[in-house]
Amino acid sequence: MILENYRHIEGIKNDIAEKCGRRGEDIRILPVSKKKTAEDIMELYNAGIKSFGENYVQELLEKKAVLPDDIEWEMIGHLQSNKVRMIAPFIHRIHSVDSLSLADKIDKEAAKCGRRIPVLIEVNAGGEETKFGVGPSDAVSFAMEIVKRPNIRLDGFMTSAPPVDDPSENRDVFAKMKQIMIDTNSKLTDNYKVSVLSMGMSEDFEEAIRQGSTVIRVGTKIFGKRIYQ
Ligand SMILES: *Cc1c(COP(=O)(O)O)cnc(C)c1O
């Protein structure tokens, strides 16, 4: 069932891409496995899907311990500086950089591991008070600070759009993200450009793709509803 769900989302993704003149292969699905089991993940892994998004460091470490070593884990949840050390040796990408102090910590821990860690800047593009992320008007200058850190590789930006009844209401939020990326690239040198836009979840990934998303983070529509204790 999980694999069928994944294939279903993949089909929709490729259709929308084609309709808006993009290539389906330029948009990646990141299955979000938070609150789901190692067995659930294996159902996709056995079909060759090797990237997963997790929100909580402890849960990520527990799953990593029992799952194949070649899984590429991406941290999409809010990250506390004191937990960076635990994921720095292996994390494939951190989507949620939202402060310079967190960036400094990642830079320092990456250096200790002899790595350059790929990151995205989380932008609170919908301006919600309850959400983490840098404000949209600060995003470009924040990016110019992040790229100074030698052991971080800035790949682009991430956002979680506000919950809305009709996903088209988030069109401007997603379009703003695309513009932030364009504006950032216009200030960067030719040998350092950003190209990743992590945006779109179960309820709004279609609109996100139309507005330029390159990574959609889909949990519920692949793994089913999450149960929180
Ligand atoms: C949980 C989560 C998702 C997936 O949300 P769904 O609505 O279940 O697809 C995506 N991104 C982030 C940051 C999340 O926390």
Side-chain angles (χ1 to χ4, degrees):
M1 196 60 202
I2 293 172
L3 183 58
E4 281 169 42
N5 291 343
Y6 180 94
R7 295 289 179 224
H8 180 68
I9 299 287
E10 193 174 40
I12 300 173
K13 169 193 79 116
N14 290 336
D15 281 351
I16 300 173
E18 195 179 326
K19 282 197 189 105
C20 54
R22 302 186 60 197
R23 296 190 310 177
E25 71 215 59
D26 291 340
I27 303 146
R28 208 162 56 84
I29 301 173
L30 180 65
V32 173
S33 46
K34 63 170 179 240
K35 304 285 174 194
K36 295 295 169 179
T37 64
E39 289 73 41
D40 291 340
I41 291 173
M42 281 309 289
E43 193 172 331
L44 295 183
Y45 179 87
N46 288 332
I49 297 150
K50 306 232 158 130
S51 296
F52 295 91
E54 286 280 345
N55 287 60
Y56 310 102
V57 170
Q58 196 54 42
E59 185 180 341
L60 167 52
L61 295 175
E62 281 166 21
K63 285 178 193 166
K64 179 178 160 53
V66 299
L67 283 163
D69 269 342
D70 63 344
I71 289 185
E72 296 179 341
W73 296 102
E74 304 203 17
M75 180 65 193
I76 64 171
H78 182 65
L79 182 58
Q80 289 168 297
S81 290
N82 62 5
K83 301 215 168 135
V84 172
R85 185 178 45 84
M86 296 184 259
I87 61 171
F90 67 88
I91 200 75
H92 191 68
R93 181 184 276 157
I94 297 171
H95 289 226
S96 44
V97 174
D98 61 356
S99 72
L100 291 179
S101 60
L102 176 60
D104 284 338
K105 184 70 181 174
I106 297 170
D107 187 50
K108 196 169 133 203
E109 295 297 335
K112 282 191 205 161
C113 305
R115 297 188 65 203
R116 190 175 183 207
I117 298 182
V119 305
L120 304 177
I121 293 169
E122 181 170 1
V123 181
N124 183 359
E128 292 167 282
E129 278 184 17
T130 53
K131 285 241 171 89
F132 294 106
V134 302
S137 56
D138 298 328
V140 177
S141 55
F142 189 82
M144 299 317 286
E145 284 300 316
I146 297 296
V147 297
K148 292 178 189 161
R149 283 145 180 85
N151 307 298
I152 288 180
R153 158 75 219 188
L154 180 67
D155 283 341
F157 299 90
M158 177 273 239
T159 198
S160 300
V164 287
D165 291 332
D166 177 353
S168 69
E169 290 172 47
N170 277 330
R171 187 171 301 150
D172 293 351
V173 168
F174 294 136
K176 196 186 290 172
M177 294 293 291
K178 173 93 190 196
Q179 193 58 46
I180 288 170
M181 187 152 90
I182 293 168
D183 293 346
T184 300
N185 278 330
S186 75
K187 295 204 166 175
L188 287 169
T189 55
D190 281 346
N191 55 10
Y192 197 145
K193 294 287 182 206
V194 295
S195 59
V196 177
L197 276 184
S198 167
M199 60 187 195
M201 318 198 292
S202 288
E203 294 304 327
D204 59 12
F205 71 91
E206 291 153 303
E207 189 59 43
I209 292 170
R210 288 187 200 102
Q211 301 308 322
S213 174
T214 68
V215 180
I216 56 173
R217 308 181 310 270
V218 183
T220 310
K221 282 201 174 155
I222 291 175
F223 292 105
K225 273 212 170 73
R226 290 176 290 272
I227 295 165
Y228 290 91
Q229 263 90 36

